[in-house]
Amino acid sequence: MPRRPGGPATATGIGSMPGEDVRESVRTVTGSLEALPYLPELPARGPGADMTGRTAGMLAELYVHLEPSGWRISDRPGRDTRRARAWLREDLDALEEFTQGYSGALKISAVGPWTLAATVERRTGEAMLGDPGACRDLTASLAEGLRGHLAEVRRRVPGAHPVLQLDEPALTAVLHGTVPTASGYRTHPAVDRAVAEGALRDLVEVGHASGAAVVVHSCAPGVPVPLLRRAGVDGVSLDFSLLTEREDDAIGEAAEDGMSLLFGVVPGTGERPEELSDPAGTVSGVRSLWRRLGLSPGLLSESVVITPVCGLAGASPAYARAALAHCVRAARSLADNPE
């Protein structure tokens, strides 16, 4: 199981793509990203095709339905759970079609346990985050569901080396105790860092047991990189523009420890695809960071994967294609001129 998914001069996307045509989206992704393609999400299709709905449909022996306030736990699988699972089967059908004969890294994504706990409601309408026992049950259900999902991906794409991306945009808020309750008048208490780390480690172990590298993605500020290192993740995916010099040590230690750094440097939306015309300029900040950290230039393209800042669901199809192509050119620029 490669610690650094993708190898040198690698680019990939985050998750979502625009539109409702999954075959076209998978065609675009697999055609644009030779080293690290991914299974896209198409939230424009509706509930169950979104990030949370797709992951909720993977849960083992836990079911969800949609309320006006969001996804809520159910007693039995209903229409919303069945629809989420149907969307995922359709997505996997398209992936299988466009990866015939493919061998290499392949990224799939799911919402991580803490963002899921902060967004999925108990039957009372409060987030599962407010009940430690419910959080444990949710993590166990997610672990079992991901075990089955990884096995299905391996069956459909036998040459794949899976990379499991856990989307955790709410992780920082969970750790700081700033996730609001249903009323909005209070916040849920901060989750102990050892507890948060333990849940993530459980899912990392599921990924590793299935032969997958595991990456945690967050486009929020203050991503807890040291905690993720301790949990055993193989990479961290973040919005490069949100990094501050206070995080230099954590980033440097992660790189030296062999973690992949997926840096979001390409805007997720734009008016015109032709605006993306300077790949070397796009990654100039990454080169500056590397020099500031005093890390070996040769380690740069081995460690860094170039991505959009976040998902591309809000972009036009033309811009989404251009953004992925620009990520590839920017990654090559780093490899060709790391200094």
Side-chain angles (χ1 to χ4, degrees):
M1 193 273 301
R3 184 77 197 272
R4 288 196 171 107
T10 298
T12 191
I14 296 301
S16 64
M17 289 286 284
E20 302 180 30
D21 187 339
V22 67
R23 292 183 71 256
E24 182 58 32
S25 290
V26 173
R27 187 202 308 271
T28 296
V29 167
T30 55
S32 302
L33 304 168
E34 295 182 0
L36 188 50
Y38 63 98
L39 177 64
E41 301 155 357
L42 272 66
R45 290 184 298 183
D50 59 296
M51 182 175 77
T52 302
R54 175 192 269 184
T55 302
M58 296 179 193
L59 295 174
E61 299 183 13
L62 280 180
Y63 313 107
V64 296
H65 69 276
L66 196 60
E67 293 282 343
S69 55
W71 292 98
R72 184 173 295 180
I73 291 295
S74 298
D75 294 323
R76 60 185 66 85
R79 178 185 62 185
D80 295 325
T81 293
R82 291 193 296 270
R83 180 171 50 199
R85 292 175 176 176
W87 286 133
L88 182 57
R89 284 193 300 272
E90 185 177 322
D91 296 343
L92 290 171
D93 288 344
L95 182 70
E96 184 176 5
E97 177 183 352
F98 288 101
T99 53
Q100 293 294 312
Y102 175 75
S103 179
L106 176 65
K107 186 162 70 70
I108 59 175
S109 57
V111 178
W114 296 110
T115 297
L116 203 61
T119 51
V120 174
E121 300 171 353
R122 291 171 281 161
R123 293 172 182 84
T124 62
E126 285 290 353
M128 297 187 80
L129 184 63
D131 183 335
C135 290
R136 289 191 294 270
D137 291 345
L138 184 64
T139 299
S141 174
L142 178 59
E144 188 60 31
L146 287 175
R147 190 176 288 112
H149 183 49
L150 286 164
E152 178 69 3
V153 170
R154 280 194 170 280
R155 184 186 70 79
R156 288 173 176 262
V157 191
H161 305 296
V163 177
L164 172 62
Q165 175 180 297
L166 298 174
D167 291 309
E168 283 284 16
L171 179 58
T172 302
V174 166
L175 295 173
H176 291 173
T178 58
V179 177
T181 59
S183 69
Y185 293 116
R186 297 184 299 109
T187 58
H188 291 283
V191 171
D192 183 89
R193 285 178 174 260
V195 173
E197 180 185 322
L200 289 165
R201 186 182 298 110
D202 289 346
L203 294 180
V204 169
E205 289 173 356
V206 167
H208 287 177
S210 301
V214 181
V215 170
V216 170
H217 166 71
S218 174
C219 49
V223 178
V225 175
L227 182 151
L228 299 177
R229 280 182 60 218
R230 292 193 301 270
V233 305
D234 302 292
V236 58
S237 172
L238 43 78
D239 180 346
F240 184 79
S241 70
L242 297 178
L243 286 178
T244 68
E245 291 192 14
R246 291 193 304 273
E247 295 158 290
D248 279 4
D249 287 346
I251 294 296
E253 289 167 2
E256 291 180 330
D257 194 36
M259 285 177 63
S260 286
L261 301 168
L262 287 75
F263 284 153
V265 295
V266 176
T269 57
E271 294 297 325
R272 297 169 303 186
E274 58 269 23
E275 293 172 347
L276 302 172
S277 59
D278 182 13
T282 295
V283 291
S284 62
V286 177
R287 290 192 183 93
S288 298
L289 170 66
W290 222 249
R291 287 193 296 269
R292 193 166 74 238
L293 295 177
L295 296 172
S296 163
L299 187 62
L300 179 54
S301 67
E302 293 285 345
S303 301
V304 172
V305 176
I306 297 300
T307 76
V309 168
C310 212
L312 296 168
S316 68
Y319 182 87
R321 288 191 296 270
L324 294 179
H326 189 74
C327 287
V328 172
R329 292 193 298 272
R332 287 177 184 153
S333 173
L334 273 186
D336 293 342
N337 183 19
E339 299 185 76

